[in-house]
Amino acid sequence: MARQGQLVIDPHSSSRQLPATSVSPCLAEVLRDLLQGDLDFAEASDTSGLHNLHAFPAKYPPALPRLFIEHLTQAGEVVLDPMVGSGTTMVEAALLERKGIGSDVDPLALLLSQAKVDPPDPARAFQSGLGVCNRAYMTLTRNSERLQQELRQRFDEETRGFLSYWFAPQTQLELMALLLEIEAEPDASIRRFLRLCFSGIIVTKSGGVSLAIDLAHTRPHRAKDKVPRSAIEEFARRLRKNVASIEQSERRDGQIAIVYGDARSLPLQDNSIHLVITSPPYAGDAIDYMRAHKFSLVWFGYPVGVLASHRRAYLGSDTLRPAAEEPLPAPVERVITAVGEVDTHKARVLDRYYRDMMLTMREAYRVLQPGRCAIFVVASSRMRGVDTRAGECLGEIAQSVGFRVVGIGTRRIHRDRRMMPVSRHGHSCSGIEQRMHEEYVVGLVK
Ligand SMILES: C[S@@+](CC[C@H](N)C(=O)[O-])C[C@H]1O[C@@H](n2cnc3c(N)ncnc32)[C@H](O)[C@@H]1O
C-alpha cells in the first residue's frame, strides 16, 4: 500500500508492448564490467538536443546514465534519479522507453527537467514565442508605465533591491514585458518551454542579460562596464536555438514524473525502483546552486528571502538541523579528522555532508528492489588541502547502509565541455579548481 502523499508508478503497468532488452540475471557482474570500461565518454555525442536547452552546473554526460540504464534495466522498468538536476537521466530513460522518477529540491532544476521530458510541439512553441516577442516589444514601446507598475508591485523590497542591483533598468522592463506574455500562454508545456528560454538568457556562463560577470564559475561580480544585450532579442535568439534542438530530438512518450523531493526522504514505496542513477552535489560547501539560479527564479515569483532560507534544503548545507546520529564508517571519520586538524569549521561542514549522504543512500537502498543496482557519480574535492576522498567515502557509507559495493570506476572530466559549479569562494585555488579532473562512479547492488 502506498503511504499518503507517495508517488506511485506501477513497475508492472505498461501502456503498450515494449521491445524486450535483456537484463542479465547476474547484474553485479554486468555492473562490474561496465565500471571497468571506458567511462570518460570523450567522443560521445549527445543523444538528444534536449540536453542542451539550458546551462546547468556539473551535469553529467548523457552517455553515462544511458550506459547503465541500457544494461541494467529493461524497457518499462523504473529508473530513479533523486537529485535530477537538469534532467539528463530522465531524458535518457525516456529515450530508452523506461519509466522514470526525477526529484530535486532546486526549483530551477525541476522546471528544466519538466520542460525537457515534456517538450512542446516545436512549430506551435515557435509561433507562441514569436508572439511573445512581438507583444513584449509593443508593450515596451507603447505602455512602459504598465511594466514600471508591475516591477513596483510584484516584488517585495528585498527582491526589488536585488533586481535593481543585478539588472539594468531597460533590461528589467524588457524581462517584465516578456514575462507578462509568457504567463498569458495557456498551454502548460509551451509555457514551461518559454520559461526555460527566458531563464536561459539569464543563467549562462557570462551572466547573460544580467549585470553579473561569469555566473557559472565564480561568485557573481557586478560589471561596471557591461552593456547588456536586448533581453527581447536574446530571447528570440534562444527561442530559435531551442526550437531547433527540439525539432532534432527524437520523441518518446516515456512515463516520466518530475517531483519536488528531498533525496533524504523520498515519497516512494519500498522496493519500487529498478535502478537508481544520480550525481549528488560535491563534498563540502563549495557548490552553491542557488547563487546562480536565483537570478532567474526571482522573476518566477520566488522572493530573495525565501530562496535564501531554501538553501538549507540542499545536501550538506544545513548545519543547524540534526543529522544522522549513528557513527560514520571509520575511514570517513578519518578524512573528517584530517580536515579538522586544519580547519574545524570545514570539518563540521564535511561531517554534515557525509551524514546527509548516509541518509540519501539509506533512502536509495529502501526504495530499490532487492538485487538491483544504484550508481552514484561524485567528484572529490580538497578542503584546506585535504582530499575529501568522496568516491571511497561514499563506498564506505553505502556499505554501512546495506549495499554491496561492486566497484568504483574513475572517469576523467572534460572541463571545457561542462559548466562548472559556482564556487562559494570564487578563487581559482578553491576546491573547485582542484577537484575537477576526475570523478568516481560508485556501483552498488542491493
Ligand atoms: C550534480 S547536480 C545533478 C546534475 C544532474 N546529474 C544532471 O546531469 O543535470 C546535483 C543536484 O542535487 C540537487 N540536490 C541538492 N540537495 C538535494 C536534496 N536534499 N534533495 C534532492 N536533490 C538535491 C541539486 O539541486 C542539484 O540539482
Side-chain angles (χ1 to χ4, degrees):
M1 273 284 278
R3 289 203 301 256
Q4 207 187 4
Q6 279 187 330
L7 184 72
V8 182
I9 285 204
D10 178 359
H12 306 296
S13 86
S14 166
S15 51
R16 65 199 165 94
Q17 210 53 36
L18 293 159
T21 47
S22 63
V23 170
S24 159
C26 188
L27 284 181
E29 274 172 31
V30 178
L31 177 55
R32 187 173 298 117
D33 286 350
L34 294 176
L35 292 169
Q36 284 167 1
D38 174 19
L39 297 172
D40 291 351
F41 307 107
E43 307 302 327
S45 51
D46 279 357
T47 44
S48 167
L50 293 173
H51 290 299
N52 302 318
L53 296 182
H54 193 289
F56 196 87
K59 60 181 176 187
Y60 48 33
L64 196 157
R66 185 177 190 88
L67 178 77
F68 293 101
I69 295 170
E70 205 166 12
H71 289 89
L72 300 173
T73 60
Q74 286 187 310
E77 292 189 335
V78 188
V79 177
L80 166 71
D81 186 341
M83 289 163 275
V84 73
S86 62
T88 314
T89 313
M90 293 298 109
V91 170
E92 291 303 317
L95 286 172
L96 291 165
E97 306 201 353
R98 272 55 168 177
K99 294 171 187 163
I101 301 174
S103 64
D104 208 292
V105 292
D106 185 289
L108 193 64
L110 296 174
L111 168 73
L112 303 185
S113 298
Q114 188 63 58
K116 286 182 185 180
V117 300
D118 180 24
D121 172 71
R124 286 185 53 223
F126 187 58
Q127 278 315 315
S128 168
L130 279 188
V132 163
C133 292
N134 291 337
R135 289 190 301 277
Y137 187 71
M138 298 267 277
T139 316
L140 187 70
T141 48
R142 295 192 191 160
N143 194 2
S144 71
E145 303 77 57
R146 174 167 178 227
L147 301 175
Q148 301 275 13
Q149 195 187 10
E150 284 287 341
L151 284 165
R152 272 195 307 275
Q153 290 176 351
R154 223 171 232 244
F155 307 103
D156 62 22
E157 210 180 312
E158 193 185 8
T159 308
R160 266 233 51 77
F162 176 87
L163 292 175
S164 301
Y165 185 78
W166 289 108
F167 294 89
Q170 174 69 12
T171 312
Q172 291 180 46
L173 291 175
E174 291 192 37
L175 289 173
M176 195 66 245
L178 286 168
L179 202 58
L180 286 174
E181 297 303 331
I182 292 171
E183 286 170 356
E185 164 57 53
D187 182 297
S189 161
I190 296 181
R191 199 168 56 242
R192 252 192 313 262
F193 172 75
L194 296 176
R195 281 205 175 118
L196 177 147
C197 297
F198 178 96
S199 172
I201 64 171
I202 300 172
V203 180
T204 70
K205 282 184 191 170
S206 62
V209 299
S210 77
L211 293 173
I213 325 172
D214 206 4
L215 211 47
H217 288 153
T218 60
R219 178 194 199 101
H221 291 287
R222 187 167 178 265
K224 291 194 179 66
D225 48 5
K226 182 172 173 182
V227 182
R229 297 197 177 127
S230 154
I232 297 179
E233 281 171 26
E234 285 300 292
F235 179 83
R237 221 186 312 263
R238 174 60 65 147
L239 174 74
R240 272 193 198 91
K241 181 173 168 283
N242 282 354
V243 164
S245 295
I246 301 185
E247 270 165 353
Q248 286 150 20
S249 308
E250 210 181 319
R251 293 181 76 81
R252 291 285 167 88
D253 297 326
Q255 220 183 302
I256 306 287
I258 303 293
V259 291
Y260 179 90
D262 189 323
R264 294 163 291 191
S265 159
L266 295 166
L268 296 171
Q269 286 177 277
D270 298 355
N271 308 323
S272 58
I273 300 295
H274 297 102
L275 172 70
V276 175
I277 174 152
T278 194
S279 62
Y282 297 108
D285 70 340
I287 298 177
D288 192 342
Y289 285 91
M290 192 52 91
R291 176 173 278 163
H293 291 181
K294 72 173 176 228
F295 277 75
S296 69
L297 288 173
V298 286
W299 291 99
F300 299 144
Y302 294 89
V304 167
V306 170
L307 292 176
S309 53
H310 188 62
R311 271 209 174 95
R312 289 168 59 183
Y314 293 70
L315 289 182
S317 56
D318 183 1
T319 43
L320 300 175
R321 193 179 46 84
E325 292 292 317
E326 61 270 56
L328 288 163
V332 183
E333 290 287 7
R334 277 199 290 276
V335 173
I336 296 167
T337 305
V339 172
E341 279 162 11
V342 194
D343 186 327
T344 48
H345 169 71
K346 292 266 177 211
R348 270 203 303 278
V349 172
L350 189 60
D351 179 86
R352 160 60 55 158
Y353 174 80
Y354 281 136
R355 283 178 192 283
D356 277 351
M357 285 312 302
M358 187 178 241
L359 296 179
T360 299
M361 290 190 137
R362 189 174 291 142
E363 266 306 78
Y365 186 84
R366 178 183 70 77
V367 299
L368 200 60
Q369 286 195 359
R372 290 306 189 123
C373 304
I375 316 289
F376 284 79
V377 182
V378 72
S380 205
S381 56
R382 288 189 169 271
M383 289 177 106
R384 294 274 184 237
V386 179
D387 188 342
T388 58
R389 308 179 85 89
E392 211 177 302
C393 288
L394 289 199
E396 293 288 341
I397 291 169
Q399 210 165 343
S400 77
V401 303
F403 278 115
R404 178 151 66 95
V405 182
V406 172
I408 301 181
T410 305
R411 60 179 304 271
R412 284 197 67 74
I413 302 175
H414 300 272
R415 300 167 54 96
D416 48 343
R417 295 184 60 181
R418 169 159 169 167
M419 179 169 162
M420 292 306 170
V422 176
S423 160
R424 282 229 166 121
H425 312 295
H427 28 81
S428 59
C429 59
S430 71
I432 283 203
E433 282 295 311
Q434 295 176 20
R435 86 173 151 242
M436 283 303 166
H437 306 290
E438 256 182 13
E439 63 186 359
Y440 304 96
V441 183
V442 183
L444 312 166
V445 170
K446 176 172 174 180

